[in-house]
Every structure is written in C-alpha cells, then in structure tokens.
Amino acid sequence: MKIESVFDISFQEYGKIVEGLPLEELLDALANTVKPTDGVVYVPEERTLEQTPAKQVLEEHVYGGMPIQIGFCNGTNTKLNCMEYHRDSEINIPCEDMVLLLAKESELRQHHLDTASVRAFLVPAGTAVEVYATTLHYAPCDAKKGNGFRVAVVLPKGTNTEKPDITMRNSEDRLLWARNKWLIAHADASEAQEGAFVGLDGVNIDIATIIE
C-alpha cells in the first residue's frame, strides 16, 4: 500500500477538497481538545468547535441549510479495524496531518469488502475534505509514528448518536450501529467482539510500517 494525497486526482473518486471556510478559530479550538496517546476518542458534538464562525458557513454553504454537528475524533491509530458509511457526506478538518483509509460502497459484495481494495490518503493539517456518502471510512490514522491526530468531524445533527430501536426489514439493517451509521468490522477489531457485523475480509491493514 502507498499513501496518496487528497490533492491527487485519484482522491476525486472518494471525496473533494472544501474551500472557502473560515477555519482559523475552529483549528485553534480543535488544538485544545483532548488527544489520547493509547487509542481514539470520538465526540459527536463539541461546544468549543460549534461556537466558531465555521459552523454557520458549513451549515449554509456545505450542507445547504441542514442542521449540523461538529465534533472531533482524536488519538493515535494505524489500523483499519472497521469501515462505516452514512447517508450523507462527512467533512473532516484536521489540525495535524492524518491519513484516511478509504474504499467505495460500490465495492461491497453482500456487505463484505476485500481489504485489498482499501486506499490510503494523506490529509495535511488545515485541509478540509469532504468524504462522500458513498465512501467507506473510519477512524483516521497517524501520518507520523506516534504523533497522533486531531480532526474536526462535521455531520448532519444526530449522526453517530444512540442507535434507533428498529425491527429488521432487510440485510443492511444488520450493519446499523448508531444513528445514521452503518458499520462493517474486521474480525480482529474490538467492535466485532461487541457484536458488529464482520464483513472486512483479508488483512486488517496496519500502516505502521509505511509511516516514519
């Protein structure tokens, strides 16, 4: 596996760069959020991020007036473990370089994905990227060994909160892990032990050997 750049043409199949956002205050607030050194923490909504000018611009210009939430995903990680998708795009804004492991929803076969199809993309600090609704993704990875990452995560309000209580009507319902969050796990991931659908086939990718 090689690490490509979100500025490469190849990234256009998975997402795009989002320009014109007032990010200075958001990035300053993000830099003051907690960053574990032994794992990853995800918070769907963070007040200090949502009080910055970026929120209104994201809500009006990126999500077309839909109510949004701004949270964060921080920590250190080098493994794939799982992949998720939503019914909408996700905006990621890191204040430190990070790597995203991505695949296409169209590559799923009966909710299974061969991990050989996963690609890695470097997102430089301060770069806002849209990850399309049809792009499978999960927690970011370190861009430098042991450096970790902090990334603001923008989604429609309510996403990744408590899973709705539903009666199963189709096979995809097995993947529903939280509100507006469908999850596919690798057998090695802790989420699999917690009951997540195991659909990542092949090697649980670890980029530890290809970052410096």
Side-chain angles (χ1 to χ4, degrees):
M1 169 177 280
K2 68 174 182 176
I3 299 178
E4 304 169 73
S5 169
V6 291
F7 292 98
D8 293 342
I9 292 177
S10 56
F11 181 66
Q12 294 178 7
E13 300 179 70
Y14 302 88
K16 67 180 181 183
I17 307 299
V18 182
E19 300 176 334
L21 301 177
L23 295 180
E24 184 175 358
E25 291 184 33
L26 176 74
L27 293 170
D28 287 345
L30 180 61
N32 289 313
T33 55
V34 62
K35 182 173 73 171
T37 58
D38 58 352
V40 176
V41 61
Y42 172 69
V43 175
E45 293 186 87
E46 169 56 41
R47 180 178 57 84
T48 59
L49 303 180
E50 295 190 337
Q51 288 179 334
T52 66
K55 183 173 188 287
Q56 183 175 355
V57 176
L58 282 158
E59 206 162 54
E60 293 178 351
H61 294 270
V62 178
Y63 284 90
M66 289 176 58
I68 64 169
Q69 63 191 32
I70 305 178
F72 63 82
C73 184
N74 299 350
T76 182
N77 174 54
T78 59
K79 291 187 175 182
L80 176 64
N81 288 325
C82 297
M83 302 209 86
E84 68 178 1
Y85 59 93
H86 314 292
R87 289 291 190 248
D88 49 78
S89 290
E90 174 178 313
I91 308 299
N92 287 171
I93 309 167
C95 67
E96 296 156 342
D97 292 356
M98 68 174 185
V99 172
L100 292 177
L101 298 178
L102 306 175
K104 301 173 190 174
E105 188 179 352
S106 61
E107 293 171 317
L108 290 173
R109 298 294 179 266
Q110 296 182 327
H111 311 309
H112 282 255
L113 178 80
D114 184 346
T115 60
S117 64
V118 175
R119 295 168 76 170
F121 290 92
L122 173 67
V123 186
T127 304
V129 295
E130 175 180 350
V131 177
Y132 295 146
T134 52
T135 297
L136 306 175
H137 60 281
Y138 203 48
C141 293
D142 300 4
K144 297 178 181 178
K145 280 186 179 176
N147 195 56
F149 50 83
R150 288 184 177 93
V151 55
V153 179
V154 186
L155 284 159
K157 194 168 182 63
T159 299
N160 289 332
T161 58
E162 185 179 2
K163 176 184 174 181
D165 185 13
I166 62 171
T167 300
M168 288 189 58
R169 291 179 176 271
N170 55 61
S171 61
E172 189 184 32
D173 286 343
R174 294 178 294 166
L175 279 57
L176 189 63
W177 190 248
R179 193 175 301 274
N180 191 25
K181 177 190 181 87
W182 288 263
L183 184 73
I184 301 167
H186 192 278
D188 293 345
S190 60
E191 289 87 345
Q193 311 309 314
E194 296 168 11
F197 178 83
V198 176
L200 294 183
D201 304 326
V203 175
N204 186 16
I205 294 169
D206 189 340
I207 68 167
T209 60
I210 60 172
I211 57 175
E212 299 180 353

